[in-house]
């Protein structure tokens, strides 16, 4: 089965609403990263967060190793937050294993 | 901000033809990677390199070759392109192995369509 599963697969919000994106993994964890893929396709790194909580502006990432999950919270969503959010883990070796992503659409 | 440049941005190739995707980074990073992304899926590692003149196989290397002639440049080569290789290809670089405490910096991607 898939080692990294993201939910929901897609999400539609009204501007100003909060979003909670989930990443569940079935193996032990060396590292955990969140990426944002813009609608035009380019990718940027959001967080490196193998454990605990990290915040950057309106984004908060929380990884709970013993529960094998990580979440990405987006507060007060904006139209420009629309895109795909990908999580990736490494387990054993350093190579990253990506989830399929959550496609977020923020409506005006 | 680190810079990774891919070329071309998109390409249409014929089945059986040769395709070369190029990647150039100005970050002075040792590690470079080639990933492919299929519609609705995450990224999968094809090849990577941690030093010039050396490349390593990733998770899905079959049908692909890689070349790292210098620290700045990393190419992905499809000697005999096939329909199944239609995808978006991303190049990335990092200062250390991608699963460590180092961010990956991605290029904008190359959309490859094999007809």
């Amino acid at each position: 089965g898939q080692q990294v599963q993201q939910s929901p697969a897609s999400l539609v919000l009204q501007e100003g609403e909060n979003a909670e994106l989930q990443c569940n993994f079935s193996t032990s964890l060396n590292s955990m990263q969140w990426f944002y893929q813009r609608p035009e396709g380019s990718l940027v790194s959001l967080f490196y967060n193998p454990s605990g909580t990290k915040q950057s502006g309106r984004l908060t990432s929380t990884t709970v190793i013993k529960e094998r999950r990580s979440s990405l919270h987006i507060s007060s969503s904006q139209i420009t937050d629309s895109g795909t959010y990908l999580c990736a883990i490494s387990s054993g070796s350093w190579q990253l294993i990506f989830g399929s992503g959550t496609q977020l659409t923020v409506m005006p | 901000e680190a810079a990774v440049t891919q070329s071309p941005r998109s390409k249409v190739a014929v089945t059986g033809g040769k395709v070369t995707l190029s990647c150039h980074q100005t970050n002075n990073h040792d590690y470079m990677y080639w990933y492919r992304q299929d519609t609705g899926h995450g990224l999968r590692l094809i090849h990577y390199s941690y030093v010039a003149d050396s490349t390593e196989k990733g998770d899905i290397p079959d049908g692909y070759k890689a070349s790292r002639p210098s620290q700045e440049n990393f190419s992905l080569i499809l000697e005999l392109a096939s329909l199944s290789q239609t995808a978006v290809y991303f190049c990335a670089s990092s200062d250390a192995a991608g699963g460590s405490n180092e961010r990956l910096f991605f290029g904008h991607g190359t959309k490859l369509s094999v007809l």
Side-chain angles (χ1 to χ4, degrees):
Chain A
Q2 282 188 319
Q3 292 180 288
V4 182
Q5 292 188 312
Q6 292 189 244
S7 61
S10 63
L11 181 62
V12 180
L13 299 175
Q14 292 292 319
E15 192 173 17
E17 292 182 325
N18 298 332
E20 187 87 7
L21 282 56
Q22 298 292 337
C23 179
N24 294 280
F25 40 92
S26 58
T27 65
S28 60
L29 189 70
N30 285 345
S31 74
M32 151 65 69
Q33 298 190 41
W34 282 94
F35 297 88
Y36 168 61
Q37 187 166 28
R38 299 185 179 98
E40 43 82 1
S42 61
L43 282 154
V44 294
S45 174
L46 294 175
F47 289 105
Y48 171 82
N49 186 22
S51 68
T53 298
K54 289 190 175 181
Q55 182 176 1
S56 176
R58 294 181 295 104
L59 303 180
T60 304
S61 170
T62 300
T63 299
V64 183
I65 295 175
K66 62 181 179 180
E67 296 180 11
R68 297 191 171 179
R69 64 174 178 86
S70 182
S71 63
L72 181 66
H73 182 84
I74 305 173
S75 63
S76 303
S77 63
Q78 300 176 358
I79 294 171
T80 52
D81 293 332
S82 297
T84 301
Y85 292 81
L86 295 162
C87 68
I89 69 165
S90 69
S91 173
S93 74
W94 60 265
Q95 293 185 20
L96 289 176
I97 304 167
F98 283 80
S100 300
T102 293
Q103 186 170 358
L104 176 65
T105 303
V106 182
M107 307 291 288
Chain B
E1 183 72 12
V4 180
T5 307
Q6 293 182 231
S7 62
R9 293 293 296 270
S10 66
K11 183 171 180 64
V12 178
V14 295
T15 304
K18 182 177 181 178
V19 176
T20 300
L21 307 182
S22 300
C23 180
H24 179 80
Q25 55 107 352
T26 59
N27 311 323
N28 199 32
H29 285 166
D30 287 327
Y31 283 78
M32 295 187 75
Y33 315 84
W34 277 106
Y35 289 90
R36 70 174 276 175
Q37 184 179 35
D38 297 279
T39 303
H41 292 82
L43 281 72
R44 292 181 291 170
L45 182 64
I46 306 170
H47 285 287
Y48 67 98
S49 169
Y50 54 85
V51 68
D53 296 321
S54 178
T55 64
E56 305 294 333
K57 294 180 179 180
D59 296 327
I60 53 165
D62 293 346
Y64 302 94
K65 292 183 180 179
S67 174
R68 183 91 182 269
S70 63
Q71 186 194 41
E72 298 82 13
N73 296 293
F74 191 37
S75 298
L76 185 68
I77 304 146
L78 290 67
E79 294 280 1
L80 296 170
S82 66
L83 294 172
S84 64
Q85 293 176 313
T86 293
V88 178
Y89 292 84
F90 287 95
C91 177
S93 75
S94 68
D95 199 25
S100 67
N101 189 17
E102 290 290 340
R103 294 172 57 193
L104 285 179
F105 294 89
F106 283 92
H108 278 74
T110 296
K111 185 176 182 180
L112 175 64
S113 299
V114 182
L115 306 177

